[in-house]
Amino acid sequence: MNKLLLFAAPSGAGKTTIVHHLLDTFDELSFSISATTRPRRPHEKEGRDYYFISRERFEELIGQDAFVEWEEVYEGLFYGTLKSEVERLWAEGKHIIFDIDVKGAMNIKQAYPREALAVFVKPPSMAALEKRLTARRTEDETTLKKRLARAAEEMAYENKFDVVLVNDVLEKAFEKAEMIVRDFI
Ligand code: ADP
Ligand code: 5GP
């Protein structure tokens, strides 16, 4: 059976870093590339990190029922998993790994209860989260504030997840993540 590995976390907890490590470690995993209306960051690549699309195009796709799930994760910024993306990766016989917000993870888990494992990546503290987000240098003052406010809300979802992975020392978190994946696939 092809599995779905859902990695969710407050922004800055380190899920993208962990997901990339897992993709480098396990050949049988592929990344679900989401569609988003967020502007591309300098190091990001179209069709690798996201499908970067306009708000108009995003709304058109909603109208065509093209998404498994979508969310307005931040005010005015839309993110969604395309049905065509899941079908593409399953056709390749891969297990799919998602970097997704907490609500999106819950929605996919509900749609695929037997196939999905929901992993909550947790920062050691809110202070550490703020430090990481600042050090990443991708946010300005306004977006940093939005992300920290939302992070506080997202922390409340921890109990709904199958596994909680604390990301304190990165190397240890990598090892734990590898174990979680190995046990599940
Ligand atoms: P997310 O995808 O959850 O928003 P990222 O993977 O982008 O988070 O990580 C946020 C920042 O924190 C990045 O600059 C990353 O290099 C750094 N980071 C990730 N894990 C750790 C860790 N265990 N200790 C210190 N910094 C970390
Ligand atoms: P970022 O802008 O930092 O790349 O992502 C912001 C948030 O949106 C993260 O929590 C990320 O996991 C989430 N996200 C990315 N893709 C999707 C998606 O397809 N659906 C949902 N619901 N959230 C997503």
Side-chain angles (χ1 to χ4, degrees):
M1 181 169 63
N2 290 323
K3 306 276 178 71
L4 303 174
L5 286 149
L6 311 167
F7 279 76
S11 184
K15 71 187 168 311
T16 306
T17 307
I18 291 171
V19 165
H20 283 161
H21 172 77
L22 292 171
L23 285 163
D24 288 343
T25 307
F26 295 96
D27 280 344
E28 54 272 59
L29 292 183
S30 273
F31 180 61
S32 167
I33 304 162
S34 298
T36 185
T37 66
R38 163 167 80 58
R40 192 173 64 78
R41 293 175 187 150
H43 67 279
E44 288 179 329
K45 253 191 162 156
E46 161 64 27
R48 182 193 68 186
D49 299 287
Y50 281 106
Y51 301 116
F52 295 96
I53 62 176
S54 66
R55 173 86 176 254
E56 291 69 32
R57 178 70 184 136
F58 202 99
E59 281 168 6
E60 207 172 87
L61 289 167
I62 295 173
Q64 292 166 2
D65 197 23
F67 288 106
V68 183
E69 63 76 38
W70 62 269
E71 292 282 333
E72 184 177 0
V73 177
Y74 301 104
E75 201 186 322
L77 296 184
F78 292 78
Y79 297 78
T81 307
L82 289 161
K83 288 179 182 168
S84 57
E85 181 67 7
V86 174
E87 280 156 17
R88 176 177 78 83
L89 297 174
W90 266 350
E92 289 175 9
K94 299 282 194 166
H95 302 301
I96 310 180
I97 188 162
F98 295 76
D99 176 337
I100 196 169
D101 89 310
V102 290
K103 287 187 192 149
M106 292 298 106
N107 286 335
I108 294 188
K109 174 95 189 162
Q110 215 163 33
Y112 301 98
R114 287 189 315 126
E115 293 90 345
L117 182 77
V119 182
F120 187 88
V121 180
K122 189 180 174 179
S125 65
M126 286 301 282
L129 187 77
E130 182 165 358
K131 213 165 136 190
R132 285 178 195 175
L133 262 183
T134 310
R136 195 173 70 185
R137 298 177 161 276
T138 52
E139 310 308 316
D140 60 34
E141 208 176 315
T142 317
T143 63
L144 183 70
K145 271 201 189 126
K146 277 191 193 173
R147 280 173 188 261
L148 288 173
R150 191 181 169 94
E153 276 171 40
E154 292 192 319
M155 293 295 271
Y157 280 77
E158 174 183 343
N159 295 334
K160 299 189 196 304
F161 280 70
D162 299 313
V163 190
V164 175
L165 170 61
V166 177
N167 178 19
D168 189 354
V169 177
L170 189 58
E171 285 303 319
K172 289 263 185 295
F174 281 168
E175 281 171 25
K176 277 188 279 178
E178 284 174 33
M179 252 169 19
I180 291 166
V181 171
R182 216 170 275 125
D183 281 352
F184 186 66
I185 65 177

